[in-house]
Amino acid sequence: CHAHAVMNGINYRAAVNLHREGANEQAVRECLCAYQESGVSFVRDGGDPYGVAMLASRLAPKYGIDYRTPVFAIHKNGHYGSIVGRGFDDLKEFHQRVLEAKESGADFIKIMTTGLLDFKNHGKVTAASDVYKRQVTGEPLEAEEVKEMVHIAHEEGFAVMSHTNGVYGTRAAIEAGVDSLEHGNYMDEETLSMLADSDTVWVPTLVTVRNLHGCGRYDDEVLRPIIVQAENLVRLAFAKKVKVAPGSDAGAYMVPHGKGICQEYEAFCQILGDRPEVREWLQGGECEIRERFRRK
């Protein structure tokens, strides 16, 4: 329920360079083959600025895959998100981005409301480095702005996928009525209770951090508390009957296409046990995603 065909799980810059002059069909077919070989029949992409997800969506039926895409993600200029989409300065321009996605055949809208995890400062969210070397901030968008963004997308007939981390950001997204919350790192129990009372589906993307442990790129002492906190949140979410769906953020570093979602499922089983009720719980969340995130 969360992937990026534009990325390859190994080297972001090298992957993007393949598509700068237009989506590279060979790379897209290799991505789809990886899903086919892993027995994956449904993929929801998080978008990109190069038309890669659009090409994957067109080619996917030949591989037996139902591929959904927002075409590109939408971020506020000056904030994190340009690596996967297009920006806006005000809500009028946001609406224009939504209409552009609609005209391009988007199945849903993807928004970026916060930055990424800061692996140097546990509990913090950062913008990281912008691929175009622009100065950006990791500060979350204001709650009222997120609410209006979601309203605009819903009025145009789209479900909303929201890249969001941190307590303030996740609460704002949930209150705005996003249809799915992606990542959701650093939530607290009160926020999970809000999720349980909402219709929002949480896609934790656990392996984006779990797969980094032991790889040497980051300090394991920094990664471990993030992993443990995510495990605790999953246990709480299961207990509170939060709607949850499996998505690996495949294409992110150390998260391969195809195998990544298998690793994500294994992570849930390690945390909660490989039990019928866990499988039913995840299947329920996936069904919600499949039903909502389709073009009306």
Side-chain angles (χ1 to χ4, degrees), residues 5 29 44 133 170 190 197 206 219 231 241 248 278 293:
R29 288 188 180 278
R44 185 181 61 147
K133 301 298 183 182
T170 52
E190 184 178 344
D197 292 335
L206 301 167
D219 186 345
E231 291 175 349
K241 295 182 172 56
S248 67
V278 173
F293 287 80

Side-chain angles (χ1 to χ4, degrees), residues 149-256:
M149 290 162 63
V150 174
H151 174 71
I152 290 169
H154 282 171
E155 285 294 299
E156 291 295 339
F158 289 111
V160 178
M161 175 188 199
S162 181
H163 165 109
T164 308
N165 289 300
V167 171
Y168 179 86
T170 52
R171 289 186 183 182
I174 295 163
E175 290 174 347
V178 299
D179 296 275
S180 77
L181 179 71
E182 312 301 305
H183 316 304
N185 292 287
Y186 301 141
M187 285 190 288
D188 56 16
E189 186 168 357
E190 184 178 344
T191 308
L192 277 173
S193 294
M194 290 174 60
L195 258 180
D197 292 335
S198 76
D199 287 326
T200 300
V201 182
W202 180 33
V203 183
T205 64
L206 301 167
V207 293
T208 53
V209 180
R210 291 172 77 92
N211 284 10
L212 297 177
H213 194 267
C215 78
R217 184 170 181 172
Y218 301 102
D219 186 345
D220 286 349
E221 293 302 311
V222 174
L223 296 174
R224 188 60 195 161
I226 300 173
I227 293 170
V228 169
Q229 184 181 33
E231 291 175 349
N232 290 335
L233 288 175
V234 166
R235 293 187 187 97
L236 274 172
F238 183 68
K240 291 176 179 288
K241 295 182 172 56
V242 172
K243 296 180 182 67
V244 171
S248 67
D249 204 5
Y253 185 62
M254 296 291 292
V255 186

Side-chain angles (χ1 to χ4, degrees), residues 12-284:
Y12 172 77
R13 291 185 181 279
V16 165
N17 284 337
L18 286 174
H19 304 288
R20 284 197 187 279
E21 303 304 319
N24 184 297
E25 185 170 329
Q26 180 181 343
V28 172
R29 288 188 180 278
E30 289 174 358
C31 172
L32 293 171
C33 278
Y35 284 109
Q36 186 182 50
E37 291 168 2
S38 294
V40 176
S41 60
F42 175 81
V43 178
R44 185 181 61 147
D45 200 291
D48 66 87
Y50 309 106
V52 180
M54 287 178 62
L55 179 59
S57 180
R58 290 198 297 271
L59 296 174
K62 296 179 181 179
Y63 295 82
I65 299 172
D66 179 357
Y67 203 100
R68 312 281 178 84
T69 172
V71 181
F72 53 84
I74 306 175
H75 70 281
K76 188 169 186 179
N77 290 326
H79 292 254
Y80 174 75
S82 65
I83 66 170
V84 288
R86 301 180 189 176
F88 70 94
D89 288 317
D90 54 37
L91 289 170
K92 181 178 180 180
E93 195 170 10
F94 172 80
H95 193 183
Q96 181 59 37
R97 297 290 91 82
V98 171
L99 294 177
E100 289 168 4
K102 190 173 193 175
E103 186 175 345
S104 297
D107 297 298
F108 58 92
I109 296 299
K110 164 84 176 289
I111 63 174
M112 315 289 285
T113 72
T114 71
L116 302 165
L117 292 180
D118 187 344
F119 292 135
K120 295 181 180 179
N121 296 287
H122 180 61
K124 302 294 183 181
V125 177
T126 179
S129 57
D130 184 273
V131 70
Y132 301 115
K133 301 298 183 182
R134 290 193 286 254
Q135 197 68 27
V136 296
T137 176
E139 290 298 311
L141 300 187
E142 293 294 330
E144 283 303 312
E145 186 168 33
V146 175
K147 184 176 182 179
E148 188 58 27
M149 290 162 63
V150 174
H151 174 71
I152 290 169
H154 282 171
E155 285 294 299
E156 291 295 339
F158 289 111
V160 178
M161 175 188 199
S162 181
H163 165 109
T164 308
N165 289 300
V167 171
Y168 179 86
T170 52
R171 289 186 183 182
I174 295 163
E175 290 174 347
V178 299
D179 296 275
S180 77
L181 179 71
E182 312 301 305
H183 316 304
N185 292 287
Y186 301 141
M187 285 190 288
D188 56 16
E189 186 168 357
E190 184 178 344
T191 308
L192 277 173
S193 294
M194 290 174 60
L195 258 180
D197 292 335
S198 76
D199 287 326
T200 300
V201 182
W202 180 33
V203 183
T205 64
L206 301 167
V207 293
T208 53
V209 180
R210 291 172 77 92
N211 284 10
L212 297 177
H213 194 267
C215 78
R217 184 170 181 172
Y218 301 102
D219 186 345
D220 286 349
E221 293 302 311
V222 174
L223 296 174
R224 188 60 195 161
I226 300 173
I227 293 170
V228 169
Q229 184 181 33
E231 291 175 349
N232 290 335
L233 288 175
V234 166
R235 293 187 187 97
L236 274 172
F238 183 68
K240 291 176 179 288
K241 295 182 172 56
V242 172
K243 296 180 182 67
V244 171
S248 67
D249 204 5
Y253 185 62
M254 296 291 292
V255 186
H257 290 291
K259 292 181 180 178
I261 188 58
C262 300
Q263 295 168 342
E264 184 77 7
Y265 174 71
E266 289 167 3
F268 278 107
C269 290
Q270 289 171 8
I271 296 167
L272 298 170
D274 189 359
R275 299 176 284 156
E277 53 266 41
V278 173
R279 292 194 291 272
E280 290 171 7
W281 181 56
L282 294 175
Q283 286 170 355

